Amino acid sequence: MQSNQRPHILLVDGMALLFRSFFATSVFGQYFRNEQGVPTNGVQGFARHVMSAKQIMQPTHMAICWDMGMHTFRNDLFDGYKSNRPAPPEEMLPQFDMAKNLSEMLGWKNFGEVGMEADDLIGSMACKWQNEADITIVSGDKDLLQLLNPTTKIAFTKKGYNIYDEYTYERFVEEYQIEPSFFADVKAFMGDSSDGYPGVKGIGPKSALQLIQNYGSVEGVIEALPELKPGQQKKIQENLDMLRLSKRLATIHCEMDLPIELDQLIVPSYSQQLLTQVEEAGYGITSRYARTLYSI
């Protein structure tokens, strides 16, 4: 990186890419087992996603963020948080460590903290360096929209390994007519069935967005309750505690203590020897494929 070049950090939601890749092929019964009979379909897809993103987005720095188990501080706040999600399939279990090991082998820095989600790591990193670098987040999780700002954009996985639905701060404000930081307030009203919290029963996405557009935040809506239609008043009053709790669950924690220097995330260089080692490790990534992305 040239000394006068503004850093560009790629923050990758590792678990999102691993799950997406696993189910993209497992639905057809394809697990791409290695010589030891261990499935590698999720690992292969994860690696190809990151390799392609690196080639397309040309970051100077990058980090892979992971969930570290099912239980987080949000489960302590609400027993039902993500309780409706099934356990990972048996064929996926060995691939969690495989993906992290492959990431380390390629020089991509892995980050995860017990009790926190990958979203919280991504949010804390984005906030830590938003004034020093341009940041691109790669994920499939719409909750991350709340992190958008003029220096941070999000590339949502859409199709294959190289087609993304990219959100910038400007696009979000134009579409939603609110500041991105208040997207968690919208989620607080509408709830999230995949995360298992209900929000306010009877208030859907459209009404939730309108309330935040009109009153600015959950707290603003509560303060303005007498101005609302009787039906909305009743729904909110009957679910006030869950509304406040849902906002805490929906809000990404961006204040994690991260003893990390930006220089630790510099994108590594690659050699043919390294790529040959990756191929021999049994992850299903051929050195020929990697060479096409890294021009080695």
Side-chain angles (χ1 to χ4, degrees):
M1 183 180 70
Q2 298 178 3
S3 59
N4 61 348
Q5 180 184 354
R6 182 175 169 86
H8 176 200
I9 308 172
L10 179 66
L11 300 178
V12 177
D13 185 344
M15 205 66 79
L17 296 190
L18 185 63
F19 269 92
R20 177 185 175 86
S21 300
F22 176 85
F23 288 111
T25 56
S26 66
V27 69
F28 303 110
Q30 298 177 346
Y31 297 103
F32 308 148
R33 297 179 186 273
N34 61 17
E35 291 181 358
Q36 290 73 42
V38 180
T40 66
N41 59 321
V43 175
Q44 286 191 40
F46 157 75
R48 292 184 179 189
H49 265 296
V50 179
M51 288 175 175
S52 296
K54 178 182 175 296
Q55 183 188 47
I56 293 166
M57 299 167 189
Q58 296 291 305
T60 58
H61 300 69
M62 60 187 293
I64 316 294
C65 298
W66 299 94
D67 296 326
M68 301 294 288
M70 294 288 289
H71 190 92
T72 70
F73 76 93
R74 292 179 177 86
N75 298 99
D76 296 330
L77 293 173
F78 180 52
D79 286 342
Y81 186 72
K82 292 189 177 180
S83 63
N84 56 345
R85 295 193 179 185
E90 180 182 351
E91 292 84 358
M92 192 172 185
L93 296 180
Q95 299 193 59
F96 293 120
D97 286 340
M98 288 177 69
K100 293 172 189 174
N101 292 340
L102 175 58
S103 178
E104 287 290 343
M105 184 177 287
L106 287 166
W108 306 337
K109 298 298 183 182
N110 291 323
F111 295 93
E113 184 169 323
V114 174
M116 308 299 289
E117 296 184 36
D119 288 2
D120 302 310
L121 277 163
I122 291 170
S124 295
M125 289 184 181
C127 290
K128 180 180 176 74
W129 290 305
Q130 64 181 338
N131 296 323
E132 302 175 43
D134 295 320
I135 298 167
T136 300
I137 299 168
V138 173
S139 180
D141 187 351
K142 299 296 184 185
D143 287 348
L144 292 165
L145 286 169
Q146 63 191 271
L147 301 179
L148 288 167
N149 62 52
T151 61
T152 300
K153 63 184 178 181
I154 303 174
F156 290 113
T157 50
K158 188 176 180 181
K159 185 179 180 181
Y161 296 111
N162 55 8
I163 299 177
Y164 296 93
D165 183 16
E166 189 173 281
Y167 264 86
T168 61
Y169 170 82
E170 292 77 15
R171 176 185 171 185
F172 179 91
V173 172
E174 181 179 350
E175 288 188 14
Y176 287 86
Q177 298 297 302
I178 60 172
E179 285 292 312
S181 58
F182 291 109
F183 186 65
D185 295 72
V186 176
K187 292 290 297 289
F189 278 102
M190 59 185 275
D192 189 323
S193 59
S194 66
D195 283 345
Y197 61 89
V200 176
K201 295 177 181 178
I203 293 184
K206 185 176 179 180
S207 295
L209 179 57
Q210 288 176 342
L211 285 169
I212 302 306
Q213 287 171 338
N214 293 335
Y215 299 104
S217 66
V218 163
E219 294 74 20
V221 174
I222 294 173
E223 189 175 331
L225 270 179
E227 301 175 23
L228 304 183
K229 297 177 181 178
Q232 280 190 330
Q233 284 188 44
K234 186 172 186 293
K235 291 171 185 175
I236 294 171
Q237 286 172 335
E238 290 177 348
N239 293 275
L240 271 178
D241 289 342
M242 181 52 69
L243 173 60
R244 294 188 177 102
L245 177 57
S246 293
K247 180 173 178 177
R248 294 180 67 187
L249 296 172
T251 300
I252 293 174
H253 181 72
C254 295
E255 298 176 355
M256 292 178 63
D257 182 22
L258 299 174
I260 309 165
E261 298 300 327
L262 188 56
D263 286 350
Q264 293 176 247
L265 306 185
I266 291 175
V267 172
S269 56
Y270 300 89
S271 66
Q272 178 57 53
Q273 180 182 6
L274 172 62
L275 299 182
T276 299
Q277 290 174 351
V278 170
E279 182 173 21
E280 293 173 349
Y283 297 120
I285 300 297
T286 66
S287 58
R288 180 180 179 183
Y289 174 80
R291 281 201 308 272
T292 65
L293 295 179
Y294 293 119
S295 301
I296 292 175

PDB file of all heavy atoms in Angstrom, residues 21 31-32 40-49 95 102 161 283-285:
ATOM      1  N   SER A  21     -22.644 -21.033   1.794  1.00  0.00           N
ATOM      2  CA  SER A  21     -21.963 -21.956   0.891  1.00  0.00           C
ATOM      3  C   SER A  21     -22.356 -23.402   1.176  1.00  0.00           C
ATOM      4  O   SER A  21     -22.534 -24.194   0.251  1.00  0.00           O
ATOM      5  CB  SER A  21     -20.446 -21.788   1.036  1.00  0.00           C
ATOM      6  OG  SER A  21     -20.065 -20.467   0.727  1.00  0.00           O
ATOM      7  N   TYR A  31     -21.466 -32.675  -0.899  1.00  0.00           N
ATOM      8  CA  TYR A  31     -20.669 -32.242   0.252  1.00  0.00           C
ATOM      9  C   TYR A  31     -19.179 -32.156  -0.069  1.00  0.00           C
ATOM     10  O   TYR A  31     -18.400 -31.714   0.761  1.00  0.00           O
ATOM     11  CB  TYR A  31     -20.885 -33.197   1.435  1.00  0.00           C
ATOM     12  CG  TYR A  31     -22.311 -33.199   1.931  1.00  0.00           C
ATOM     13  CD1 TYR A  31     -23.182 -34.243   1.612  1.00  0.00           C
ATOM     14  CD2 TYR A  31     -22.803 -32.149   2.701  1.00  0.00           C
ATOM     15  CE1 TYR A  31     -24.493 -34.238   2.064  1.00  0.00           C
ATOM     16  CE2 TYR A  31     -24.115 -32.141   3.150  1.00  0.00           C
ATOM     17  CZ  TYR A  31     -24.957 -33.191   2.825  1.00  0.00           C
ATOM     18  OH  TYR A  31     -26.266 -33.174   3.264  1.00  0.00           O
ATOM     19  N   PHE A  32     -18.766 -32.572  -1.256  1.00  0.00           N
ATOM     20  CA  PHE A  32     -17.378 -32.469  -1.700  1.00  0.00           C
ATOM     21  C   PHE A  32     -16.410 -33.017  -0.645  1.00  0.00           C
ATOM     22  O   PHE A  32     -15.522 -32.311  -0.165  1.00  0.00           O
ATOM     23  CB  PHE A  32     -17.011 -31.027  -2.049  1.00  0.00           C
ATOM     24  CG  PHE A  32     -17.968 -30.368  -3.006  1.00  0.00           C
ATOM     25  CD1 PHE A  32     -18.211 -28.998  -2.929  1.00  0.00           C
ATOM     26  CD2 PHE A  32     -18.640 -31.085  -3.985  1.00  0.00           C
ATOM     27  CE1 PHE A  32     -19.089 -28.369  -3.806  1.00  0.00           C
ATOM     28  CE2 PHE A  32     -19.523 -30.475  -4.869  1.00  0.00           C
ATOM     29  CZ  PHE A  32     -19.741 -29.113  -4.777  1.00  0.00           C
ATOM     30  N   THR A  40     -16.335 -30.785   2.677  1.00  0.00           N
ATOM     31  CA  THR A  40     -15.615 -29.513   2.521  1.00  0.00           C
ATOM     32  C   THR A  40     -16.429 -28.485   1.743  1.00  0.00           C
ATOM     33  O   THR A  40     -15.901 -27.440   1.374  1.00  0.00           O
ATOM     34  CB  THR A  40     -14.265 -29.719   1.792  1.00  0.00           C
ATOM     35  OG1 THR A  40     -14.527 -30.136   0.436  1.00  0.00           O
ATOM     36  CG2 THR A  40     -13.404 -30.752   2.480  1.00  0.00           C
ATOM     37  N   ASN A  41     -17.713 -28.773   1.485  1.00  0.00           N
ATOM     38  CA  ASN A  41     -18.473 -27.884   0.604  1.00  0.00           C
ATOM     39  C   ASN A  41     -18.601 -26.464   1.158  1.00  0.00           C
ATOM     40  O   ASN A  41     -18.474 -25.476   0.426  1.00  0.00           O
ATOM     41  CB  ASN A  41     -19.869 -28.463   0.325  1.00  0.00           C
ATOM     42  CG  ASN A  41     -20.694 -28.687   1.582  1.00  0.00           C
ATOM     43  OD1 ASN A  41     -20.182 -29.115   2.619  1.00  0.00           O
ATOM     44  ND2 ASN A  41     -21.987 -28.411   1.499  1.00  0.00           N
ATOM     45  N   GLY A  42     -18.837 -26.338   2.463  1.00  0.00           N
ATOM     46  CA  GLY A  42     -18.954 -25.010   3.053  1.00  0.00           C
ATOM     47  C   GLY A  42     -17.630 -24.276   3.046  1.00  0.00           C
ATOM     48  O   GLY A  42     -17.570 -23.075   2.751  1.00  0.00           O
ATOM     49  N   VAL A  43     -16.553 -24.987   3.356  1.00  0.00           N
ATOM     50  CA  VAL A  43     -15.220 -24.389   3.389  1.00  0.00           C
ATOM     51  C   VAL A  43     -14.818 -23.892   2.006  1.00  0.00           C
ATOM     52  O   VAL A  43     -14.297 -22.786   1.851  1.00  0.00           O
ATOM     53  CB  VAL A  43     -14.178 -25.403   3.914  1.00  0.00           C
ATOM     54  CG1 VAL A  43     -12.774 -24.829   3.836  1.00  0.00           C
ATOM     55  CG2 VAL A  43     -14.500 -25.786   5.346  1.00  0.00           C
ATOM     56  N   GLN A  44     -15.060 -24.740   0.989  1.00  0.00           N
ATOM     57  CA  GLN A  44     -14.719 -24.333  -0.375  1.00  0.00           C
ATOM     58  C   GLN A  44     -15.457 -23.062  -0.770  1.00  0.00           C
ATOM     59  O   GLN A  44     -14.870 -22.121  -1.315  1.00  0.00           O
ATOM     60  CB  GLN A  44     -15.066 -25.447  -1.358  1.00  0.00           C
ATOM     61  CG  GLN A  44     -14.129 -26.633  -1.318  1.00  0.00           C
ATOM     62  CD  GLN A  44     -14.359 -27.571  -2.490  1.00  0.00           C
ATOM     63  OE1 GLN A  44     -14.591 -27.140  -3.612  1.00  0.00           O
ATOM     64  NE2 GLN A  44     -14.284 -28.871  -2.224  1.00  0.00           N
ATOM     65  N   GLY A  45     -16.759 -23.032  -0.497  1.00  0.00           N
ATOM     66  CA  GLY A  45     -17.543 -21.864  -0.873  1.00  0.00           C
ATOM     67  C   GLY A  45     -17.125 -20.625  -0.110  1.00  0.00           C
ATOM     68  O   GLY A  45     -17.031 -19.528  -0.686  1.00  0.00           O
ATOM     69  N   PHE A  46     -16.858 -20.775   1.186  1.00  0.00           N
ATOM     70  CA  PHE A  46     -16.383 -19.653   2.001  1.00  0.00           C
ATOM     71  C   PHE A  46     -15.106 -19.063   1.408  1.00  0.00           C
ATOM     72  O   PHE A  46     -14.982 -17.848   1.223  1.00  0.00           O
ATOM     73  CB  PHE A  46     -16.144 -20.124   3.446  1.00  0.00           C
ATOM     74  CG  PHE A  46     -15.185 -19.280   4.221  1.00  0.00           C
ATOM     75  CD1 PHE A  46     -15.567 -18.035   4.703  1.00  0.00           C
ATOM     76  CD2 PHE A  46     -13.878 -19.713   4.458  1.00  0.00           C
ATOM     77  CE1 PHE A  46     -14.675 -17.240   5.415  1.00  0.00           C
ATOM     78  CE2 PHE A  46     -12.977 -18.936   5.157  1.00  0.00           C
ATOM     79  CZ  PHE A  46     -13.376 -17.692   5.640  1.00  0.00           C
ATOM     80  N   ALA A  47     -14.136 -19.928   1.121  1.00  0.00           N
ATOM     81  CA  ALA A  47     -12.859 -19.459   0.597  1.00  0.00           C
ATOM     82  C   ALA A  47     -13.026 -18.766  -0.750  1.00  0.00           C
ATOM     83  O   ALA A  47     -12.424 -17.714  -1.007  1.00  0.00           O
ATOM     84  CB  ALA A  47     -11.881 -20.624   0.474  1.00  0.00           C
ATOM     85  N   ARG A  48     -13.853 -19.338  -1.599  1.00  0.00           N
ATOM     86  CA  ARG A  48     -14.055 -18.728  -2.918  1.00  0.00           C
ATOM     87  C   ARG A  48     -14.748 -17.374  -2.809  1.00  0.00           C
ATOM     88  O   ARG A  48     -14.439 -16.437  -3.554  1.00  0.00           O
ATOM     89  CB  ARG A  48     -14.849 -19.680  -3.812  1.00  0.00           C
ATOM     90  CG  ARG A  48     -14.055 -20.929  -4.179  1.00  0.00           C
ATOM     91  CD  ARG A  48     -14.791 -21.840  -5.148  1.00  0.00           C
ATOM     92  NE  ARG A  48     -13.975 -22.996  -5.486  1.00  0.00           N
ATOM     93  CZ  ARG A  48     -14.268 -23.872  -6.435  1.00  0.00           C
ATOM     94  NH1 ARG A  48     -15.372 -23.719  -7.137  1.00  0.00           N
ATOM     95  NH2 ARG A  48     -13.472 -24.891  -6.682  1.00  0.00           N
ATOM     96  N   HIS A  49     -15.704 -17.269  -1.872  1.00  0.00           N
ATOM     97  CA  HIS A  49     -16.353 -15.977  -1.644  1.00  0.00           C
ATOM     98  C   HIS A  49     -15.327 -14.922  -1.239  1.00  0.00           C
ATOM     99  O   HIS A  49     -15.310 -13.808  -1.778  1.00  0.00           O
ATOM    100  CB  HIS A  49     -17.407 -16.100  -0.541  1.00  0.00           C
ATOM    101  CG  HIS A  49     -18.792 -16.340  -1.053  1.00  0.00           C
ATOM    102  ND1 HIS A  49     -19.479 -15.427  -1.840  1.00  0.00           N
ATOM    103  CD2 HIS A  49     -19.637 -17.388  -0.879  1.00  0.00           C
ATOM    104  CE1 HIS A  49     -20.671 -15.906  -2.117  1.00  0.00           C
ATOM    105  NE2 HIS A  49     -20.790 -17.087  -1.565  1.00  0.00           N
ATOM    106  N   GLN A  95     -16.570 -28.377   9.605  1.00  0.00           N
ATOM    107  CA  GLN A  95     -16.161 -27.313   8.694  1.00  0.00           C
ATOM    108  C   GLN A  95     -15.968 -25.959   9.382  1.00  0.00           C
ATOM    109  O   GLN A  95     -15.359 -25.048   8.806  1.00  0.00           O
ATOM    110  CB  GLN A  95     -17.156 -27.201   7.533  1.00  0.00           C
ATOM    111  CG  GLN A  95     -17.244 -28.483   6.717  1.00  0.00           C
ATOM    112  CD  GLN A  95     -17.977 -28.305   5.410  1.00  0.00           C
ATOM    113  OE1 GLN A  95     -17.589 -27.506   4.557  1.00  0.00           O
ATOM    114  NE2 GLN A  95     -19.053 -29.058   5.228  1.00  0.00           N
ATOM    115  N   LEU A 102      -8.168 -22.690   7.434  1.00  0.00           N
ATOM    116  CA  LEU A 102      -7.826 -22.272   6.072  1.00  0.00           C
ATOM    117  C   LEU A 102      -7.601 -20.763   6.017  1.00  0.00           C
ATOM    118  O   LEU A 102      -6.665 -20.285   5.366  1.00  0.00           O
ATOM    119  CB  LEU A 102      -8.951 -22.672   5.105  1.00  0.00           C
ATOM    120  CG  LEU A 102      -8.809 -22.197   3.657  1.00  0.00           C
ATOM    121  CD1 LEU A 102      -7.508 -22.709   3.045  1.00  0.00           C
ATOM    122  CD2 LEU A 102     -10.005 -22.643   2.826  1.00  0.00           C
ATOM    123  N   TYR A 161     -20.524 -16.064  -6.614  1.00  0.00           N
ATOM    124  CA  TYR A 161     -19.405 -15.589  -5.808  1.00  0.00           C
ATOM    125  C   TYR A 161     -19.028 -14.143  -6.100  1.00  0.00           C
ATOM    126  O   TYR A 161     -18.119 -13.604  -5.468  1.00  0.00           O
ATOM    127  CB  TYR A 161     -18.170 -16.477  -6.045  1.00  0.00           C
ATOM    128  CG  TYR A 161     -18.359 -17.898  -5.610  1.00  0.00           C
ATOM    129  CD1 TYR A 161     -18.423 -18.930  -6.546  1.00  0.00           C
ATOM    130  CD2 TYR A 161     -18.468 -18.224  -4.261  1.00  0.00           C
ATOM    131  CE1 TYR A 161     -18.596 -20.253  -6.144  1.00  0.00           C
ATOM    132  CE2 TYR A 161     -18.645 -19.534  -3.850  1.00  0.00           C
ATOM    133  CZ  TYR A 161     -18.706 -20.543  -4.798  1.00  0.00           C
ATOM    134  OH  TYR A 161     -18.887 -21.844  -4.387  1.00  0.00           O
ATOM    135  N   TYR A 283      -8.626 -29.032   1.738  1.00  0.00           N
ATOM    136  CA  TYR A 283      -9.794 -28.163   1.858  1.00  0.00           C
ATOM    137  C   TYR A 283     -10.592 -28.058   0.553  1.00  0.00           C
ATOM    138  O   TYR A 283     -11.639 -27.429   0.519  1.00  0.00           O
ATOM    139  CB  TYR A 283      -9.363 -26.757   2.285  1.00  0.00           C
ATOM    140  CG  TYR A 283      -8.718 -26.702   3.650  1.00  0.00           C
ATOM    141  CD1 TYR A 283      -7.413 -26.237   3.788  1.00  0.00           C
ATOM    142  CD2 TYR A 283      -9.399 -27.123   4.784  1.00  0.00           C
ATOM    143  CE1 TYR A 283      -6.812 -26.178   5.039  1.00  0.00           C
ATOM    144  CE2 TYR A 283      -8.796 -27.071   6.029  1.00  0.00           C
ATOM    145  CZ  TYR A 283      -7.507 -26.594   6.149  1.00  0.00           C
ATOM    146  OH  TYR A 283      -6.910 -26.548   7.387  1.00  0.00           O
ATOM    147  N   GLY A 284     -10.057 -28.632  -0.512  1.00  0.00           N
ATOM    148  CA  GLY A 284     -10.770 -28.596  -1.784  1.00  0.00           C
ATOM    149  C   GLY A 284     -10.485 -27.356  -2.609  1.00  0.00           C
ATOM    150  O   GLY A 284     -11.133 -27.137  -3.629  1.00  0.00           O
ATOM    151  N   ILE A 285      -9.525 -26.532  -2.189  1.00  0.00           N
ATOM    152  CA  ILE A 285      -9.141 -25.335  -2.946  1.00  0.00           C
ATOM    153  C   ILE A 285      -7.890 -25.677  -3.739  1.00  0.00           C
ATOM    154  O   ILE A 285      -6.828 -25.939  -3.167  1.00  0.00           O
ATOM    155  CB  ILE A 285      -8.876 -24.142  -2.014  1.00  0.00           C
ATOM    156  CG1 ILE A 285     -10.128 -23.814  -1.204  1.00  0.00           C
ATOM    157  CG2 ILE A 285      -8.424 -22.920  -2.804  1.00  0.00           C
ATOM    158  CD1 ILE A 285     -11.312 -23.384  -2.024  1.00  0.00           C
TER     159      ILE A 285
END
